[in-house]
Amino acid sequence: QQQVKQSPQSLIVQKGGISIINCAYENTAFDYFPWYQQFPGKGPALLIAIRPDVSEKKEGRFTISFNKSAKQFSLHIMDSQPGDSATYFCAASSSYSGGGADGLTFGKGTHLIIQP
Amino acid sequence: DSGVTQTPKHLITATGQRVTLRCSPRSGDLSVYWYQQSLDQGLQFLIQYYNGEERAKGNILERFSAQQFPDLHSELNLSSLELGDSALYFCASSVVGDQPQHFGDGTRLSIL
């Protein structure tokens, strides 16, 4: 059972445009939602993350929008650049009492291409 | 550079064999996570250790095991290898009770 559904699978955006990737989750115990960027031959690198107590978080050109009632969250990349071409993963995890957090449940990834 | 070091970068072996993958977490991180990335399954959480003790289990096969040593480095042991075990194996570390998880660059395992 896929607990985090990510779309689209691939995305082509013109330079300067807005890239939008969406994710939906099922497990209401999830309380941490990060987005990772992965380049070929490299490990996933954290871009930005959000917790359910806020509906939006912005860091530079990257924004997460979070809708708790719909159990959906999305990544917006403003002014997309060719260097942003990579695979993007949404993820989710839940904390547990006593501290610590569970492993991340990842979406299937979105292959983003920014055309010059 | 995430600060998480994984060795080796590449590993080629045959079916039925056993291999050990090594991970050194970021300085100060007590928790280590192992993930498997394959084309069909995507990125899947395998197992988590905190300060030497197993903390959480994901989709880890019984043929796979891990441990975290007193110096906090971790090893993932894969035995009775099958063709389907060919994948990228990532280690991540974090300060327990506070995300985020920082990933190494992985070990690419190829089973011939």
Side-chain angles (χ1 to χ4, degrees):
Chain A
Q1 180 185 6
Q2 183 184 356
Q3 295 192 50
V4 178
K5 293 185 179 181
Q6 183 173 345
S7 63
Q9 194 172 1
S10 61
L11 181 61
I12 299 175
V13 174
Q14 295 297 315
K15 179 182 175 183
I18 303 173
S19 304
I20 301 174
I21 305 171
N22 300 298
C23 282
Y25 63 97
E26 300 166 0
N27 187 347
T28 55
F30 287 150
D31 60 2
Y32 175 72
F33 303 89
W35 284 88
Y36 281 83
Q37 178 190 57
Q38 186 178 27
F39 292 105
K42 293 293 187 180
L46 179 71
L47 270 179
I48 187 172
I50 198 168
R51 293 195 182 272
D53 52 345
V54 297
S55 60
E56 187 175 282
K57 183 175 180 180
K58 183 177 181 179
E59 289 183 2
R61 296 185 294 110
F62 301 95
T63 300
I64 296 181
S65 297
F66 185 80
N67 186 329
K68 187 175 181 178
S69 61
K71 293 188 287 186
Q72 295 175 347
F73 58 110
S74 60
L75 175 70
H76 291 62
I77 305 175
M78 313 300 287
D79 187 27
S80 299
Q81 299 297 311
D84 296 330
S85 298
T87 301
Y88 292 80
F89 294 93
C90 63
S93 72
S94 54
S95 306
Y96 42 80
S97 60
D102 208 347
L104 293 165
T105 298
F106 281 88
K108 292 290 189 184
T110 296
H111 184 50
L112 174 64
I113 297 173
I114 308 301
Q115 290 187 332
Chain B
D1 183 9
S2 68
V4 178
T5 303
Q6 290 188 248
T7 57
K9 292 190 183 304
H10 303 278
L11 200 49
I12 302 174
T13 188
T15 56
Q17 296 298 305
R18 172 188 171 95
V19 297
T20 298
L21 313 183
R22 182 187 170 102
C23 169
S24 294
R26 292 190 322 157
S27 177
D29 284 358
L30 299 179
S31 199
V32 169
Y33 304 77
W34 285 97
Y35 292 84
Q36 179 193 59
Q37 185 175 37
S38 62
L39 282 175
D40 54 343
Q41 296 296 324
L43 263 165
Q44 288 200 96
F45 166 63
L46 296 178
I47 196 165
Q48 178 200 4
Y49 276 79
Y50 165 66
N51 206 20
E53 294 193 2
E54 182 184 306
R55 201 73 184 259
K57 263 186 174 180
N59 298 319
I60 189 165
L61 300 173
E62 285 191 8
R63 299 183 287 108
F64 296 0
S65 65
Q67 58 186 131
Q68 186 178 28
F69 295 86
D71 67 352
L72 300 178
H73 90 272
S74 178
E75 294 181 354
L76 179 67
N77 300 295
L78 315 176
S79 62
S80 302
L81 287 167
E82 303 175 358
L83 292 176
D85 297 329
S86 295
L88 271 166
Y89 291 84
F90 288 105
C91 167
S93 72
S94 73
V95 176
V96 174
D98 183 25
Q99 300 278 8
Q101 295 179 26
H102 296 272
F103 283 73
D105 285 337
T107 294
R108 181 174 294 278
L109 176 63
S110 299
I111 312 300
L112 303 181

